[in-house]
Every structure is written in C-alpha cells, then in structure tokens.
Amino acid sequence: MSVTKQGETKAEDISVPGSALSGLIERAGKLRGPAPVHLWNPPHCGVIDIRIDRNGAWHHEGRPILREALVKLFATLLRREPDGSYVLVTPAEKLTISVEDVPFIAVELAIEGEGAAQTVVLRTNVGDVVTVDAEHPLRVAPGHAKDGLVPYVLVRGGLEARLARPLVHELASAFEQRGAEIGVVSSGHFFVIGPAEAAVTS
C-alpha cells in the first residue's frame, strides 16, 4: 500500500495478494448497504494489518485510512466471529483485523416522539442509521472514572457502536427513573442505563 504526500491512503493503491478485496475496492461506488457477509463462508487467509482505534479511525500498517469511501467499503465487509474476533470477509476469503474497542462510533442522535412512542435514532461514523429497539439494544459498560457511563448500541451482525461523548449528554435528556434504575425508552422498550444514584454523566 502506498500513501499520498498528504498521508491519505488511496483505494487504488491497496493490494492484498490473492484476495478479492482489490476488485471490491474498485467497485466501492457501486455497492449499496452492507454486504451479505453472514452468507459467506470462505477460508481464513490470515491477518491483515488493519486496525480500528478506539475513536473509530481505520489504519493500515500504522497509517490512517483517510478516504471516507474506502472506510465505508471496509465497514460493509466487516464481520464479528463467534470467538469475538473481527474479520473482513469476501466470498473468497476472510482476513482478521484488530479492533481496539468496537468498530463504530455513533456520531449523531435524534430523539423522536414521547412516552411509549419515543424512539432513539443514531447515526454512525460509517453511515449506518439505527433505531434503538429489541434488535438493536442499548447497553452500558462502566467507563473509567473520567468517562462516566459508556453506552453502546448493537448496529448489525454483532457489530456495535459506542456513543460519542457529546451524544451521552444528549441521551441524558431522555433518562427516566423506574424504581431504582435509570433508563431510556425507545421503540416500546426500557433500556437500563444503571442505578439511579450512579447514572450521572460527567
């Protein structure tokens, strides 16, 4: 892979020997929506030096992949395996990559409706739009002391997005208390954020 003087990874410069990735990259503009990776069962062909950092940025051989179309293409090929690892999958092969936390970041939030009819809708950094519901639940992991609550939403196929910090504060406006728990209503479901006394964002 070569990199431009500005440090941007070029789609046409990526070549993985013996793989179908190069051809798919060339057709990036023709793809619409996630690839049917759950239907593909190719052989495992090793590890490719691609890393998604905690901020959702993609890197190859230590260099950032700055081309948005290329990142979105790779995101459509991403799958989480039963052992928790992440792979890029084509009909011909699968290649293991490294993910520091989760692959996506939720960067935009909209709260629509009220009461039982309320919905929480999120957009990720790779363009997925997700309504929090039974199939796309919200979960909260305890963060570091400085991070407070760390919410995640299931996007698709075991792939999650972590809510960007500003969105956590937006989400807090929709918190409601039920008994000893604080949570958020979306699509008719109550998603627990945590104990009422602990559900304070920083």
Side-chain angles (χ1 to χ4, degrees):
M1 177 188 293
S2 65
V3 177
T4 66
K5 292 181 180 179
Q6 293 76 24
E8 178 180 344
T9 298
K10 298 173 63 180
E12 59 268 27
D13 291 337
I14 291 183
S15 177
V16 181
S19 81
L21 282 176
S22 296
L24 285 176
I25 290 168
E26 292 173 4
R27 297 190 294 274
K30 299 178 182 179
L31 293 178
R32 295 291 183 271
V37 295
H38 62 291
L39 300 177
W40 298 337
N41 189 30
H44 186 263
C45 297
V47 178
I48 185 171
D49 188 5
I50 288 179
R51 176 178 60 91
I52 306 175
D53 69 21
R54 182 172 172 78
N55 296 317
W58 292 61
H59 305 260
H60 180 264
E61 297 181 345
R63 299 186 177 105
I65 301 174
L66 301 178
R67 184 163 295 189
E68 184 178 0
L70 182 54
V71 168
K72 288 184 175 181
L73 171 61
F74 280 146
T76 70
L77 304 177
L78 188 60
R79 186 171 81 191
R80 193 170 191 185
E81 299 290 81
D83 65 1
S85 63
Y86 294 89
V87 293
L88 293 177
V89 184
T90 76
E93 66 181 350
K94 61 181 176 181
L95 297 160
T96 298
I97 70 168
S98 173
V99 179
E100 289 186 358
D101 182 23
V102 292
F104 309 137
I105 302 295
V107 294
E108 188 175 354
L109 178 148
I111 299 172
E112 303 173 348
E114 297 180 352
Q118 177 173 279
T119 58
V120 177
V121 182
L122 298 160
R123 180 178 63 83
T124 74
N125 60 317
V126 294
D128 289 294
V129 177
V130 181
T131 298
V132 177
D133 58 20
E135 294 184 356
H136 307 92
L138 190 72
R139 72 172 179 91
V140 172
H144 300 293
K146 66 182 180 66
D147 293 331
L149 298 171
V150 183
Y152 297 82
V153 64
L154 182 61
V155 177
R156 50 181 161 85
L159 305 175
E160 290 185 305
R162 189 180 75 254
L163 273 65
R165 200 69 203 148
L167 268 61
V168 180
H169 294 280
E170 290 185 48
L171 187 66
S173 68
F175 284 179
E176 67 175 71
Q177 185 170 346
R178 293 190 178 182
E181 295 177 324
I182 288 286
V184 176
V185 172
S186 184
S187 305
H189 298 272
F190 182 71
F191 296 94
V192 175
I193 298 298
E197 64 273 16
V200 179
T201 58
S202 58

